[in-house]
């Protein structure tokens, strides 16, 4: 790092966070614009470490950099701007979210930022969306906290600590970009060697139907991680780097935003998924239990997004109407898992059976194991799915004049593109959703369908 910058006076308050394995994050900061003194840092959060990588003065200098030029900010009310700085001369990268807020009746511009070494740029980039989504929701709640005159620092501490823990776990247990078939269930000599044939088929099929997002739970870390690696074969290299293996020594908590993650059950053989975090996930999730060979999945994309927005709005409304800080501190408000559970079963049985994955599995296990043939066959299968998704997108664009008209010919789409089997349609639509966000809601969400109603619609066409 460059020569140390002297800290501002008075010294900036700092909270050190203890992490088991350290953290790639150098610090997180909360800064504001002072009309007299300019950008000022209100608080610093840094991992507790024996080696001081950045002095408090350097962190303050870098955090102030994020608010330079924001005095003329003319964003819409409630807007949150994301800024990405790469400061080569300092050897750091800064991700900063700029927003307006009211603190004790005074309206000002604020910045919530995280600082990493520039050497961690390739590690961070696949996690950028996850990080921004987490910080954005922290800001939404933090604005209410500030408006009500409550302690914003204590609130931010409870929210930033899990973010640092997430980055720490991804550094030590993140899935590598190149997953080898030899480390997966697809390396078995025959289908059903490591698990039941229908279980593997259902797990991969549901994984693809939920846009490649799955959580794998079990008691044996090797068994869990083998399934995690298997599912990661069906992700892009970038999505794999946003996935996490199970920790054999200490089970991780569930973190929303990861594509695939392995989690270990406790000593009683159970694992409770936090409803709040499940609802925050950008896509619906598949739940796979490798101990009892069960596969469950959340509602389709458009219904998940609808429930997610309803939940988040209700959460913010509850924070707004809560009378005092004492009422806000308990888990029932900050980490609401029970108060906002809708009257529906989050995880449902896999309703749609498919032919695409079944045919793929039947054929790949006919190829000799231990050779590159299976890897090539897998790549061909993924290419076919990608092209089918692109064809669906193009078909819908032509039928609707690129969204100017309502799509009314689902039956024709299924017939013309050979997607008459509901599971096949769900898989291709999920992949199309990632290529063209909002497509699923455009087709199924004009008049809101529940997953059961959607099934009835699909079966009637």
């Amino acid at each position: 790092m460059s020569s140390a910058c002297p800290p501002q006076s008075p010294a900036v308050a700092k909270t050190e966070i203890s992490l088991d394995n350290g953290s790639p994050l150098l610090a997180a900061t909360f800064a504001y614009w002072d009309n007299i003194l300019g950008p000022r840092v209100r608080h610093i959060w840094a991992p507790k470490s024996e080696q001081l990588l950045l002095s408090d003065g350097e962190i303050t200098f870098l955090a102030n950099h994020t608010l330079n030029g924001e005095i003329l900010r003319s964003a819409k009310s409630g807007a949150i701007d994301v800024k990405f700085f790469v400061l080569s001369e300092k050897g750091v990268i800064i991700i900063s979210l700029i927003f307006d807020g009211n603190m004790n009746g005074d309206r000002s511009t604020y910045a919530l930022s995280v600082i990493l070494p520039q050497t961690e740029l390739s590690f961070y980039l696949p996690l950028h969306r996850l990080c921004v989504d987490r910080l954005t929701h922290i800001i939404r709640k933090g604005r209410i906290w500030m408006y009500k005159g409550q302690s914003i620092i204590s609130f931010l501490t409870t929210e930033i600590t899990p973010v640092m823990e997430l980055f720490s776990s991804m550094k030590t247990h993140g899935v590598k970009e190149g997953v080898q078939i030899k480390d997966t269930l697809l390396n078995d000599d025959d289908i059903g060697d490591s698990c039941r044939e229908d279980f593997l088929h259902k797990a991969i099929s549901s994984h693809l139907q939920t846009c490649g997002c799955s959580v794998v739970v079990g008691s044996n870390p090797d068994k869990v991680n083998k399934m995690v690696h298997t599912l990661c074969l069906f992700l892009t290299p970038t999505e794999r780097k946003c996935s996490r293996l199970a920790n054999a020594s200490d089970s991780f908590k569930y973190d929303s935003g990861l594509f695939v993650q392995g989690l270990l059950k406790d000593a009683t053989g159970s694992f409770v998924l936090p409803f709040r975090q499940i609802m925050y996930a950008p896509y619906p999730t598949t739940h796979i239990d490798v101990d009892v060979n069960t596969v469950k999945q959340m509602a389709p994309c458009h219904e998940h997004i609808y429930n997610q927005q309803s939940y988040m709005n209700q959460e913010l409304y509850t924070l707004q109407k809560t009378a005092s800080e004492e009422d806000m501190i308990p888990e029932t408000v900050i980490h609401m898992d029970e108060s906002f559970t809708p009257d529906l079963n989050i995880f449902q049985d896999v309703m749609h059976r498919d032919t695409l994955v079944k045919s793929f599995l039947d054929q790949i296990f006919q190829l000799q194991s231990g050779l590159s043939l299976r890897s090539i066959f897998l790549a061909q299968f993924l290419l076919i799915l990608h092209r089918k998704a692109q064809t669906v997108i193009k078909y819908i664009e032509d039928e609707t004049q690129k969204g100017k008209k309502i799509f009314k010919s689902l039956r024709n789409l299924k017939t013309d593109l050979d997607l008459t089997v509901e599971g096949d349609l769900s898989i291709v639509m999920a992949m199309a959703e990632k290529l063209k966000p909002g497509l699923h809601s455009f087709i199924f969400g004009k008049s809101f369908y529940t997953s059961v109603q959607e099934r009835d619609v699909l079966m009637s066409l």
Side-chain angles (χ1 to χ4, degrees), residues 165-208:
E165 292 173 345
L166 169 62
F167 275 90
S168 176
S169 68
M170 290 301 297
K171 190 64 177 177
T172 57
H173 289 78
V175 176
K176 305 303 180 184
E177 180 178 339
V179 177
Q180 303 296 321
I181 278 192
K182 64 181 180 63
D183 299 324
T184 72
L185 296 171
L186 297 187
N187 192 53
D188 293 348
D189 290 332
D190 191 16
I191 187 171
D193 283 358
S194 299
C195 61
R196 292 205 323 262
E197 175 181 351
D198 61 331
F199 171 62
L200 180 60
H201 170 210
K202 189 178 290 186
I204 295 175
S205 177
S206 181
H207 172 67
L208 291 173

Side-chain angles (χ1 to χ4, degrees), residues 418-439:
D418 192 22
L419 296 174
T420 54
V421 179
E422 287 78 10
D424 294 344
L425 179 63
S426 295
I427 290 172
V428 175
M429 283 295 298
M431 183 160 286
E433 175 70 25
K434 291 200 288 186
L435 297 175
K436 195 86 170 177
L439 184 70

Side-chain angles (χ1 to χ4, degrees), residues 26 41 43 49 125 148 160 275 315 317 333 351 362 382 389 413 423 442 445 456:
L26 296 174
V41 177
H43 202 87
S49 174
L125 287 178
K148 295 173 69 68
I160 288 176
F275 176 81
E315 181 184 30
Y317 173 74
V333 178
M351 296 184 296
D362 290 343
L382 295 176
L413 182 149
F442 180 75
D456 294 338

Side-chain angles (χ1 to χ4, degrees), residues 10-64:
V12 178
K14 181 179 180 180
T15 299
E16 291 189 332
I17 299 175
S18 298
L19 300 172
D20 294 335
N21 300 307
S23 174
L25 267 67
L26 296 174
T29 63
F30 180 57
Y32 67 99
W33 181 271
D34 186 293
N35 289 330
I36 298 176
L37 300 174
R40 304 282 291 176
V41 177
R42 175 79 179 273
H43 202 87
I44 297 172
W45 295 266
K48 185 177 291 185
S49 174
E50 296 179 358
Q51 182 181 6
L52 185 64
L53 300 177
L54 277 179
S55 68
D56 291 356
E58 287 178 307
I59 294 174
T60 300
F61 171 80
L62 294 171
N64 286 342

Side-chain angles (χ1 to χ4, degrees), residues 377-417:
F377 189 75
L378 170 65
Q380 181 186 16
F381 173 70
L382 295 176
L383 180 60
I384 290 173
L385 291 184
H386 189 269
R387 287 181 173 173
K388 282 181 176 290
Q390 288 182 315
T391 304
V392 165
I393 293 172
K394 192 63 179 175
Y395 187 100
I396 294 172
E397 286 180 345
D398 291 344
E399 289 291 322
T400 63
Q401 297 181 5
K402 294 189 175 181
K404 295 179 181 178
K405 296 166 53 180
I406 296 176
F407 184 74
K408 298 181 179 179
S409 53
L410 183 59
R411 180 187 302 173
N412 291 343
L413 182 149
K414 293 169 63 178
T415 303
D416 295 344
L417 303 184

Side-chain angles (χ1 to χ4, degrees), residues 4 57 59 109-110 217 222 292 310 322 351 369 384 391 410 420 427:
I59 294 174
T109 301
Y110 299 85
V217 300
D222 294 332
V292 293
S310 298
T322 305
M351 296 184 296
S369 62
I384 290 173
T391 304
L410 183 59
T420 54
I427 290 172

